[in-house]
Short mmCIF file of all heavy atoms in Angstrom, two decimals:
data_model
loop_
_atom_site.label_atom_id
_atom_site.label_comp_id
_atom_site.label_asym_id
_atom_site.label_seq_id
_atom_site.Cartn_x
_atom_site.Cartn_y
_atom_site.Cartn_z
N GLU A 464 -77.10 49.34 -10.44
CA GLU A 464 -76.04 50.29 -10.76
C GLU A 464 -74.66 49.80 -10.33
O GLU A 464 -73.64 50.31 -10.80
CB GLU A 464 -76.33 51.63 -10.09
CG GLU A 464 -76.37 51.58 -8.57
CD GLU A 464 -76.67 52.93 -7.94
OE1 GLU A 464 -76.71 53.92 -8.69
OE2 GLU A 464 -76.87 52.98 -6.71
N ASN A 465 -74.61 48.79 -9.44
CA ASN A 465 -73.33 48.27 -8.97
C ASN A 465 -72.75 47.21 -9.90
O ASN A 465 -71.56 46.87 -9.79
CB ASN A 465 -73.49 47.69 -7.57
CG ASN A 465 -73.86 48.74 -6.54
OD1 ASN A 465 -73.28 49.82 -6.51
ND2 ASN A 465 -74.85 48.46 -5.71
N ILE A 466 -73.57 46.64 -10.78
CA ILE A 466 -73.07 45.64 -11.73
C ILE A 466 -72.39 46.35 -12.89
O ILE A 466 -73.02 47.16 -13.57
CB ILE A 466 -74.21 44.74 -12.24
CG1 ILE A 466 -74.87 43.99 -11.08
CG2 ILE A 466 -73.70 43.75 -13.28
CD1 ILE A 466 -76.07 43.16 -11.49
N PRO A 467 -71.13 46.06 -13.16
CA PRO A 467 -70.44 46.73 -14.27
C PRO A 467 -70.84 46.13 -15.62
O PRO A 467 -71.14 44.93 -15.70
CB PRO A 467 -68.95 46.46 -13.97
CG PRO A 467 -68.97 45.17 -13.24
CD PRO A 467 -70.24 45.15 -12.42
N PRO A 468 -70.83 46.92 -16.69
CA PRO A 468 -71.14 46.38 -18.02
C PRO A 468 -69.95 45.68 -18.67
O PRO A 468 -70.08 45.16 -19.78
CB PRO A 468 -71.53 47.64 -18.80
CG PRO A 468 -70.74 48.73 -18.16
CD PRO A 468 -70.65 48.38 -16.70
N ASP A 469 -68.80 45.70 -18.01
CA ASP A 469 -67.62 45.05 -18.57
C ASP A 469 -66.89 44.27 -17.48
O ASP A 469 -67.25 44.33 -16.31
CB ASP A 469 -66.66 46.09 -19.19
CG ASP A 469 -66.29 47.19 -18.21
OD1 ASP A 469 -65.83 46.86 -17.09
OD2 ASP A 469 -66.47 48.38 -18.53
N ASN A 470 -65.88 43.54 -17.89
CA ASN A 470 -65.10 42.73 -16.95
C ASN A 470 -63.69 43.29 -16.77
O ASN A 470 -62.74 42.56 -16.51
CB ASN A 470 -65.02 41.28 -17.45
CG ASN A 470 -64.72 40.29 -16.33
OD1 ASN A 470 -65.02 40.55 -15.17
ND2 ASN A 470 -64.13 39.16 -16.67
N ASN A 471 -63.57 44.61 -16.90
CA ASN A 471 -62.26 45.25 -16.84
C ASN A 471 -61.58 45.06 -15.49
O ASN A 471 -60.35 44.94 -15.42
CB ASN A 471 -62.39 46.74 -17.14
CG ASN A 471 -62.78 47.00 -18.59
OD1 ASN A 471 -62.75 46.08 -19.40
ND2 ASN A 471 -63.16 48.21 -18.92
N ALA A 472 -62.35 45.04 -14.40
CA ALA A 472 -61.75 44.87 -13.07
C ALA A 472 -61.06 43.52 -12.96
O ALA A 472 -59.97 43.41 -12.38
CB ALA A 472 -62.82 45.02 -11.99
N SER A 473 -61.67 42.48 -13.52
CA SER A 473 -61.05 41.15 -13.49
C SER A 473 -59.82 41.10 -14.38
O SER A 473 -58.83 40.45 -14.05
CB SER A 473 -62.06 40.09 -13.95
OG SER A 473 -63.18 40.05 -13.09
N GLU A 474 -59.87 41.80 -15.51
CA GLU A 474 -58.70 41.84 -16.39
C GLU A 474 -57.53 42.57 -15.71
O GLU A 474 -56.37 42.19 -15.88
CB GLU A 474 -59.06 42.51 -17.71
CG GLU A 474 -60.05 41.69 -18.53
CD GLU A 474 -60.30 42.26 -19.91
OE1 GLU A 474 -59.73 43.33 -20.22
OE2 GLU A 474 -61.07 41.66 -20.67
N ARG A 475 -57.85 43.62 -14.96
CA ARG A 475 -56.80 44.31 -14.20
C ARG A 475 -56.23 43.39 -13.12
O ARG A 475 -55.03 43.42 -12.83
CB ARG A 475 -57.33 45.59 -13.58
CG ARG A 475 -57.59 46.72 -14.58
CD ARG A 475 -57.84 48.04 -13.88
NE ARG A 475 -59.07 48.01 -13.11
CZ ARG A 475 -60.26 48.39 -13.58
NH1 ARG A 475 -60.37 48.79 -14.84
NH2 ARG A 475 -61.33 48.37 -12.82
N ALA A 476 -57.11 42.58 -12.51
CA ALA A 476 -56.67 41.69 -11.43
C ALA A 476 -55.75 40.59 -11.93
O ALA A 476 -54.91 40.09 -11.18
CB ALA A 476 -57.90 41.09 -10.74
N ILE A 477 -55.90 40.19 -13.19
CA ILE A 477 -55.11 39.08 -13.73
C ILE A 477 -53.92 39.56 -14.56
O ILE A 477 -53.00 38.78 -14.85
CB ILE A 477 -56.01 38.14 -14.58
CG1 ILE A 477 -55.41 36.72 -14.65
CG2 ILE A 477 -56.23 38.71 -15.97
CD1 ILE A 477 -55.38 36.01 -13.35
N ARG A 478 -53.91 40.83 -14.93
CA ARG A 478 -52.84 41.36 -15.79
C ARG A 478 -51.46 41.23 -15.12
O ARG A 478 -50.44 41.06 -15.80
CB ARG A 478 -53.12 42.81 -16.14
CG ARG A 478 -51.99 43.46 -16.93
CD ARG A 478 -52.33 44.83 -17.46
NE ARG A 478 -51.16 45.53 -17.92
CZ ARG A 478 -50.47 45.23 -19.03
NH1 ARG A 478 -50.88 44.25 -19.79
NH2 ARG A 478 -49.40 45.92 -19.38
N ASN A 479 -51.41 41.30 -13.78
CA ASN A 479 -50.12 41.25 -13.09
C ASN A 479 -49.34 39.97 -13.39
O ASN A 479 -48.11 39.96 -13.32
CB ASN A 479 -50.32 41.40 -11.58
CG ASN A 479 -51.15 40.28 -11.00
OD1 ASN A 479 -50.66 39.19 -10.72
ND2 ASN A 479 -52.44 40.55 -10.78
N VAL A 480 -50.05 38.89 -13.72
CA VAL A 480 -49.37 37.63 -14.05
C VAL A 480 -48.51 37.81 -15.30
O VAL A 480 -47.37 37.33 -15.37
CB VAL A 480 -50.40 36.50 -14.25
CG1 VAL A 480 -49.70 35.22 -14.70
CG2 VAL A 480 -51.19 36.26 -12.97
N LYS A 481 -49.05 38.51 -16.30
CA LYS A 481 -48.31 38.77 -17.53
C LYS A 481 -47.10 39.67 -17.26
O LYS A 481 -46.02 39.47 -17.82
CB LYS A 481 -49.22 39.40 -18.58
CG LYS A 481 -50.30 38.47 -19.12
CD LYS A 481 -49.68 37.25 -19.78
CE LYS A 481 -50.74 36.41 -20.46
NZ LYS A 481 -50.16 35.13 -20.98
N VAL A 482 -47.30 40.68 -16.42
CA VAL A 482 -46.19 41.58 -16.08
C VAL A 482 -45.09 40.80 -15.37
O VAL A 482 -43.89 40.97 -15.66
CB VAL A 482 -46.70 42.75 -15.21
CG1 VAL A 482 -45.53 43.66 -14.83
CG2 VAL A 482 -47.77 43.54 -15.93
N LYS A 483 -45.48 39.95 -14.43
CA LYS A 483 -44.51 39.13 -13.69
C LYS A 483 -43.69 38.28 -14.65
O LYS A 483 -42.46 38.19 -14.54
CB LYS A 483 -45.25 38.25 -12.68
CG LYS A 483 -44.38 37.21 -11.98
CD LYS A 483 -43.34 37.85 -11.07
CE LYS A 483 -42.57 36.80 -10.30
NZ LYS A 483 -41.48 37.39 -9.48
N GLN A 484 -44.35 37.65 -15.62
CA GLN A 484 -43.64 36.78 -16.55
C GLN A 484 -42.74 37.56 -17.51
O GLN A 484 -41.66 37.10 -17.86
CB GLN A 484 -44.63 35.94 -17.34
CG GLN A 484 -45.27 34.82 -16.52
CD GLN A 484 -45.88 33.74 -17.39
OE1 GLN A 484 -46.96 33.93 -17.91
NE2 GLN A 484 -45.20 32.64 -17.54
N LYS A 485 -43.18 38.74 -17.91
CA LYS A 485 -42.35 39.56 -18.80
C LYS A 485 -41.08 40.03 -18.09
O LYS A 485 -40.02 40.15 -18.69
CB LYS A 485 -43.15 40.76 -19.31
CG LYS A 485 -44.14 40.41 -20.41
CD LYS A 485 -44.83 41.65 -20.94
CE LYS A 485 -45.79 41.28 -22.07
NZ LYS A 485 -45.10 40.79 -23.27
N VAL A 486 -41.20 40.31 -16.78
CA VAL A 486 -40.06 40.82 -16.02
C VAL A 486 -39.15 39.68 -15.54
O VAL A 486 -37.93 39.75 -15.65
CB VAL A 486 -40.53 41.66 -14.82
CG1 VAL A 486 -39.35 42.08 -13.95
CG2 VAL A 486 -41.30 42.89 -15.29
N SER A 487 -39.77 38.62 -15.02
CA SER A 487 -39.01 37.57 -14.34
C SER A 487 -38.93 36.26 -15.10
O SER A 487 -38.20 35.36 -14.69
CB SER A 487 -39.62 37.31 -12.95
OG SER A 487 -39.65 38.49 -12.19
N GLY A 488 -39.69 36.09 -16.18
CA GLY A 488 -39.68 34.84 -16.91
C GLY A 488 -40.72 33.87 -16.40
O GLY A 488 -41.55 34.20 -15.55
N GLN A 489 -40.69 32.65 -16.90
CA GLN A 489 -41.71 31.65 -16.57
C GLN A 489 -41.55 31.14 -15.14
O GLN A 489 -40.50 31.30 -14.50
CB GLN A 489 -41.61 30.47 -17.54
CG GLN A 489 -40.33 29.66 -17.38
CD GLN A 489 -40.31 28.43 -18.25
OE1 GLN A 489 -41.26 28.09 -18.89
NE2 GLN A 489 -39.18 27.73 -18.28
N PHE A 490 -42.62 30.50 -14.64
CA PHE A 490 -42.55 29.81 -13.36
C PHE A 490 -41.91 28.45 -13.59
O PHE A 490 -42.14 27.80 -14.61
CB PHE A 490 -43.95 29.65 -12.77
CG PHE A 490 -44.62 30.96 -12.45
CD1 PHE A 490 -45.57 31.50 -13.31
CD2 PHE A 490 -44.31 31.66 -11.30
CE1 PHE A 490 -46.19 32.70 -13.04
CE2 PHE A 490 -44.92 32.87 -11.01
CZ PHE A 490 -45.86 33.39 -11.88
N LYS A 491 -41.13 28.00 -12.63
CA LYS A 491 -40.43 26.72 -12.78
C LYS A 491 -41.26 25.53 -12.32
O LYS A 491 -40.94 24.39 -12.64
CB LYS A 491 -39.11 26.77 -11.99
CG LYS A 491 -38.11 27.78 -12.51
CD LYS A 491 -37.69 27.46 -13.94
CE LYS A 491 -36.61 28.43 -14.43
NZ LYS A 491 -36.23 28.15 -15.84
N SER A 492 -42.30 25.78 -11.53
CA SER A 492 -43.14 24.68 -11.05
C SER A 492 -44.54 25.22 -10.76
O SER A 492 -44.74 26.43 -10.60
CB SER A 492 -42.56 24.07 -9.77
OG SER A 492 -42.59 25.01 -8.70
#
Side-chain angles (χ1 to χ4, degrees):
E464 62 181 353
N465 296 314
I466 299 176
D469 54 53
N470 202 25
N471 292 349
S473 299
E474 293 187 358
R475 288 192 294 268
I477 204 66
R478 175 172 166 72
N479 62 81
V480 175
K481 292 300 187 186
V482 178
K483 172 67 175 176
Q484 287 198 282
K485 283 184 179 293
V486 175
S487 303
Q489 67 175 354
F490 297 100
K491 295 298 184 181
S492 66

